[in-house]
Amino acid sequence: MRYLTRFQGTVTFRRTHLLLPLAALALALSPLCGQTEASPPDPLGIRAALTAAETRHRDAYAASRFAEAITASRQGLSLAERAGTINDQVMFVRHLAYDNFLMGDSDSSIEYSERLLDLAERLDDNRIRAQGRRYLSQVYDAMNDAPRAREHAEWSLKFA
């Protein structure tokens, strides 16, 4: 393939053909440029382990194996706490709150839902607050505690 064209007797490069190699170089170097203080290198492979724990949870949850899903989430939460990544902790705490609810463990579900609310406060995130309140509303509704269920449902709507 020729990258040259003739224009009024002179030979010029097409601009598009010059930009393609530059774009490829930029894409190749972008992972190196993207490392900032917010995304430090992962020498222990914790990111891969967190991803594996999330995958194990998702697979077990999809197959309705909630005990296995809870185990995977607990392992992921432990890794996230060790890594100090709050957003990863939120993900696994959310899984644990809901999966324990599905297994009928109201006490654990309440504990993880309240923990989710604590993490929401640390992140100042209304979306997470709404989820935590919704989980608490579901648990209290299942426990036939209508006043508490209603209170948490109203708070959930307020934050949503």
Side-chain angles (χ1 to χ4, degrees):
M1 189 171 172
R2 300 194 85 170
Y3 296 105
L4 302 175
T5 60
R6 293 198 184 268
F7 181 72
Q8 295 181 358
T10 60
V11 177
T12 58
F13 286 100
R14 286 187 185 173
R15 287 184 212 168
T16 57
H17 292 298
L18 286 176
L19 293 177
L20 290 175
L22 292 175
L25 179 63
L27 285 173
L29 294 177
S30 64
L32 300 175
C33 297
Q35 290 186 353
T36 63
E37 292 179 24
S39 60
D42 187 15
L44 301 177
I46 290 178
R47 177 62 37 207
L50 286 168
T51 301
E54 173 61 16
T55 300
R56 283 192 311 276
H57 170 269
R58 185 179 52 240
D59 293 344
Y61 182 85
S64 298
R65 295 188 313 262
F66 300 120
E68 289 178 38
I70 289 170
T71 300
S73 292
R74 282 187 182 141
Q75 292 167 350
L77 179 59
S78 175
L79 288 167
E81 288 172 334
R82 197 168 356 138
T85 53
I86 295 175
N87 288 325
D88 290 321
Q89 290 177 43
V90 166
M91 176 178 59
F92 289 112
V93 169
R94 185 174 43 232
H95 292 329
L96 288 164
Y98 192 67
D99 292 350
N100 278 296
F101 168 72
L102 293 175
M103 291 292 290
D105 187 352
S106 298
D107 292 335
S108 292
S109 184
I110 290 171
E111 178 184 332
Y112 284 115
S113 297
E114 289 174 349
R115 190 168 173 183
L116 187 61
L117 291 175
D118 291 340
L119 292 171
E121 290 302 316
R122 288 176 59 188
L123 292 171
D124 192 26
D125 189 332
N126 283 340
R127 181 184 55 91
I128 300 170
R129 287 182 184 111
Q131 290 171 339
R133 293 291 185 159
R134 186 182 74 233
Y135 292 154
L136 286 169
S137 176
Q138 289 174 321
V139 172
Y140 286 123
D141 185 54
M143 295 170 60
N144 294 321
D145 188 344
R148 278 200 218 173
R150 182 176 179 88
E151 176 187 353
H152 287 292
E154 288 171 355
W155 276 104
S156 179
L157 286 173
K158 177 184 173 194
F159 289 125

